[in-house]
Amino acid sequence: MSVPARLAPLLDQFDRSCERLGNRLAGPFVDSGDGTDVAAPALTDEEYLWEPVPDCWSVRRRGAGPGPGATSLTGAGAWGRDTAPFPHPSPPPFTTLAWRLSHLGEMLALRADHTAGGHSMTRDDYRVAGDAAEALADFAASAAAWRAALLGADDAALDTVGYCTYPYGSDAEDPFLSTVWWVNQEVLHHGAEIAMLRDLHRARSGAA
């Protein structure tokens, strides 16, 4: 099945964004943007869970309970991600690299399910990773699932309101093409935040 012309540039943007983020986290190099390789050491567990300021939201062992300002841990498995019912605390809590990467993986996995799967997954079904290697694998799998869902969309689907039934956004009221655009924005801006956290961690530790 050919990719609709309107989807092709968004699919390319998604692929490039995920590749760049994956390389930035797993290494050994990431493209600087001008074709030059920049060293990118693999994410460690310590960095994954690093809390750069007090009262961060993060991912935590379920037995430890939620962090400051959170009321529960969302997700499945032995680990969960700090959360609270709407409205969230104001100002918003600072979130760790682990929280942001888990959020991205969950969003992609659930939207894939609500586009081309069983249309039933909730945040409580998504397994939250407690270590860096597992988190990277989960992000890659979630990105691949979303990409596969996109490849199943024809031109008519792009204009269909509610083609994606993801329950935690405006998907039910949006044409699918708008949802695709929004998912790319999520990957781009959270990916940039994650890259900045890596830079801050490196500067803090005095690493080369």
Side-chain angles (χ1 to χ4, degrees):
M1 180 178 178
S2 61
V3 176
R6 292 179 294 161
L7 178 59
L10 290 172
L11 183 61
D12 182 63
Q13 183 183 59
F14 177 74
D15 287 343
R16 289 175 182 271
S17 301
C18 289
E19 179 183 22
R20 188 169 177 80
L21 178 56
N23 289 342
R24 186 71 174 80
L25 290 169
F29 301 101
V30 64
D31 187 338
S32 67
D34 62 5
T36 303
D37 282 341
V38 176
L43 183 70
T44 66
D45 292 347
E46 185 276 330
E47 184 181 0
Y48 175 65
L49 294 169
W50 178 52
E51 298 192 16
V53 298
D55 299 334
C56 286
W57 277 13
S58 189
V59 303
R60 309 180 190 280
R61 291 188 183 277
R62 199 163 296 281
T71 58
S72 62
L73 294 172
T74 190
W79 292 72
R81 190 174 71 251
D82 283 327
T83 192
F86 288 102
H88 287 163
S90 182
F94 191 92
T95 53
T96 64
L97 190 156
W99 194 102
R100 296 172 202 231
L101 191 57
S102 174
H103 166 67
L104 274 182
E106 177 205 82
M107 178 201 69
L108 292 169
L110 266 63
R111 277 198 162 100
D113 176 74
H114 282 272
T115 300
H119 297 259
S120 62
M121 280 188 71
T122 71
R123 286 173 172 162
D124 290 336
D125 297 319
Y126 182 76
R127 184 173 53 85
V128 174
D131 63 71
E134 186 180 21
L136 292 176
D138 287 352
F139 172 74
S142 296
W146 175 242
R147 191 181 196 281
L150 295 182
L151 292 178
D154 59 16
D155 209 53
L158 299 180
D159 292 323
T160 301
V161 173
Y163 183 79
C164 176
T165 59
Y166 178 74
Y168 305 109
S170 61
D171 303 54
E173 295 100 45
D174 294 337
F176 187 54
L177 189 65
S178 295
T179 298
V180 176
W181 176 87
W182 175 250
V183 168
N184 282 10
Q185 305 317 300
E186 287 281 282
V187 175
L188 286 163
H189 91 254
H190 286 305
E193 292 169 346
I194 287 168
M196 177 61 74
L197 282 170
R198 295 220 72 186
D199 288 343
L200 290 172
H201 184 271
R202 184 189 68 238
R204 169 186 174 273
S205 63

